[in-house]
Amino acid sequence: MTDVLDVLRTAGRLLWRHWPVLLALYLGAILARYGVIEFAGWVGSYSAIAGSLLLPVAILVRLIALVAMFLVLRDGMRQLRAIAPLPVDGRARRREFVDALMVGILPFFAFYAAWGYLREDAQAYSSRVLELSTGRRLAEAFGGPEAGGDGLNGDITVTPITIAIVIVAFALRWLLKRYRDRLPRWFGIFAAYLEAVWVYFAAVVIGDIVAMVSGWVATRQGMVWLGDLRSAIEGVFVPLGWLWGAAEWLLGEAGGIILLPVAWLTIAGVLYGQAVAPQALSTEGLGGDVGRRIRTRYLSLPARLRARIGDLWSDLISRFTPIGNALVLMWRAGPVLIGGFVLLYTVLLWLQGALEMVVPRAFGPQDLDEFWMINDQLIFLIAPVLIEPVRIALVAGGYDGVIGRLRGRRAEALEAQATEDQDAAASALSETDVDGGQGSTTALTNWGQPSTDFSSTTNGPEASSGTR
């Protein structure tokens, strides 16, 4: 309970000190996202590929604002500052910001896609393209097909072009990372864009493949038989159907309630990236005989080819390592702290839902065309604007609590180890006195009496034996 209260106090202190900056960054991200989607939609009305290449920028600007908000809160995170002091010069701060941005692209895009935000951006982009495509159709009618562009071709799907975009963007990003010391600093912007592009298109491709596989599985005869079997069982045992539905509902709700705050805490751990990494797992013996044969064949390749493959593999794995480290840190922090953070985040979600319900009603009955059609976007933006600084402060406080819990456990372990060492030393010295014969009698006689030898750091038998 104390750890949860510490998280709440830290979040309150961070929010009180930094809420104007958090609010400004969030509003700036909203405006930038809107502008990028509008521009991407205009470009996409001429070329679907060109417009889709701009859409990742809309997600990237939100990530930039998120990184800035988390780094702004660092000066108030006492536990994190104890193990990772703030950079003292501007160059180190800029390097920290760029590193946090680059390492945060993959987990943030995954989070963005898993919770439907990517779909919202894609829908907003498609709506803009559809709006502008009306004029393109008229241009096609009077000026020919070439005047309208290919913006009406639909959404980006799994095609050779999209797969080529993923490969080319990843390869260029790898080259920029490999030779970044020889390139100007402004190439970091291009590297961030390439990282966002390949992750975005990879997410689109993977999502389409998963949807196709799921659709294929759902139409198989075996799934139909399972559905019929479940219906037959529920028809005979009605309470079993109730229990089945209740279990599905509980798992769905619990998954959303637990995974969302854990995902936010993971993103914070990735962006800060200052905690002690867990011990690397040994891959020796991984996969049994098959794994050994694969490693043997890999070692038989030419050294230059193995070096290139190793570089590509390490570059890919390095994107997932911070995510694994953050998850392991949360696991080591214990269920009490993480459960308390999940509870606090659930209360925040309830508060957001209450605001979204209360704020529109506060304006009372208004005309649909003259009021709501004009002001609805601004009114529905009030609740997220009020909640987002609180959310970021709470997540930062939760991560600081995780670091504090781990530091406390480490201090307890060191104290316990020191106590064991002292007991072992005392036991060894007592055995030495017993072997000494007469010294043993003197030690037992002087037990509990203060020693007159102040150069000794111990009292009791050890001190008395030192005065002889």
Side-chain angles (χ1 to χ4, degrees):
M1 188 63 182
T2 304
D3 293 336
V4 178
L5 293 178
D6 290 340
V7 170
L8 195 58
R9 283 192 292 266
T10 302
R13 185 178 68 252
L14 296 175
L15 183 64
W16 176 257
R17 292 181 179 180
H18 301 287
W19 71 265
V21 180
L22 299 178
L23 186 62
L25 289 171
Y26 181 66
L27 289 175
I30 291 177
L31 294 176
R33 169 186 171 271
Y34 174 80
V36 171
I37 290 179
E38 290 291 306
F39 180 69
W42 177 78
V43 175
S45 64
Y46 290 97
S47 171
I49 295 296
S52 297
L53 286 172
L54 291 175
L55 189 56
V57 180
I59 310 172
L60 192 60
V61 295
R62 296 192 67 170
L63 176 59
I64 291 173
L66 182 67
V67 172
M69 286 190 284
F70 275 121
L71 293 185
V72 161
L73 299 178
R74 273 200 59 185
D75 63 341
M77 300 172 65
R78 298 171 180 174
Q79 301 295 336
L80 181 61
R81 289 187 61 182
I83 62 173
L86 292 173
V88 294
D89 59 337
R91 182 176 181 181
R93 293 192 185 97
R94 289 191 295 269
R95 184 62 178 266
E96 180 187 44
F97 179 86
V98 173
D99 291 342
L101 177 63
M102 298 302 296
V103 78
I105 289 178
L106 179 61
F108 184 75
F109 272 61
F111 166 80
Y112 209 79
W115 263 265
Y117 300 123
L118 185 60
R119 184 171 57 254
E120 292 179 3
D121 287 354
Q123 290 174 352
Y125 164 76
S126 299
S127 299
R128 180 59 176 165
V129 171
L130 183 61
E131 178 184 352
L132 294 175
S133 295
T134 303
R136 302 290 174 263
R137 290 179 178 178
L138 294 176
E140 287 181 0
F142 293 100
E146 68 278 358
D150 67 343
L152 300 177
N153 287 345
D155 297 332
I156 298 299
T157 57
V158 181
T159 63
I161 295 179
T162 55
I163 296 176
I165 289 175
V166 173
I167 296 174
V168 172
F170 181 83
L172 291 176
R173 169 68 186 95
W174 177 77
L175 289 174
L176 288 180
K177 182 178 180 180
R178 182 176 178 83
Y179 300 104
R180 64 178 180 178
D181 295 335
R182 307 178 187 179
L183 298 173
R185 293 181 182 177
W186 61 267
F187 266 81
I189 301 175
F190 188 51
Y193 170 73
L194 289 175
E195 185 82 6
V197 167
W198 87 260
V199 172
Y200 168 73
F201 277 88
V204 171
V205 170
I206 293 174
D208 287 345
I209 293 175
V210 170
M212 288 188 294
V213 173
S214 301
W216 180 83
V217 172
T219 58
R220 297 303 93 191
Q221 187 63 38
M223 300 301 297
V224 177
W225 289 343
L226 289 176
D228 294 340
L229 178 61
R230 175 183 173 183
S231 300
I233 294 175
E234 290 178 355
V236 177
F237 304 101
V238 177
L240 184 60
W242 295 344
L243 292 176
W244 187 279
E248 288 182 342
W249 176 85
L250 181 61
L251 290 176
E253 293 297 322
I257 291 175
I258 295 174
L259 292 180
L260 182 59
V262 170
W264 271 109
L265 204 58
T266 303
I267 291 176
V270 170
L271 295 182
Y272 288 122
Q274 299 293 341
V276 179
Q279 185 177 1
L281 297 177
S282 175
T283 59
E284 198 67 32
L286 186 63
D289 294 336
V290 176
R292 282 191 290 272
R293 285 197 297 268
I294 293 175
R295 285 190 292 271
T296 302
R297 293 183 180 180
Y298 173 74
L299 293 175
S300 65
L301 296 175
R304 185 179 296 273
L305 179 59
R306 281 190 284 113
R308 298 290 78 80
I309 295 176
D311 291 341
L312 290 174
W313 177 253
S314 62
D315 184 69
L316 182 62
I317 291 300
S318 64
R319 291 170 169 82
F320 296 93
T321 302
I323 302 175
N325 292 343
L327 292 174
V328 171
L329 287 175
M330 286 186 285
W331 176 267
R332 291 180 176 176
V336 175
L337 177 60
I338 302 301
F341 173 77
V342 170
L343 177 61
L344 293 176
Y345 194 91
T346 304
V347 173
L348 181 63
L349 288 180
W350 176 86
L351 180 60
Q352 181 177 358
L355 284 176
E356 291 175 350
M357 182 181 63
V358 170
V359 169
R361 288 169 173 78
F363 290 88
Q366 301 290 340
D367 184 77
L368 178 62
D369 295 330
E370 296 182 358
F371 182 81
W372 288 110
M373 295 297 291
I374 299 174
N375 303 311
D376 60 341
Q377 296 293 329
L378 292 177
I379 292 174
F380 290 120
L381 191 61
I382 293 176
V385 166
L386 294 176
I387 290 296
E388 195 64 21
V390 183
R391 188 197 320 275
I392 300 301
L394 179 61
V395 173
Y399 183 77
D400 202 51
V402 169
I403 298 300
R405 186 73 182 108
L406 295 177
R407 292 185 65 218
R409 287 186 175 180
R410 180 173 177 80
E412 292 174 0
L414 292 176
E415 183 178 356
Q417 183 64 36
T419 303
E420 292 179 0
D421 293 342
Q422 291 178 358
D423 292 342
S427 177
L429 190 55
S430 298
E431 293 177 358
T432 303
D433 289 343
V434 170
D435 293 338
Q438 182 62 33
S440 172
T441 305
T442 307
L444 292 174
T445 304
N446 294 335
W447 179 269
Q449 298 180 3
S451 173
T452 56
D453 184 4
F454 293 101
S455 62
S456 176
T457 58
T458 58
N459 294 324
E462 304 93 314
S464 59
S465 62
T467 58
R468 291 191 302 271

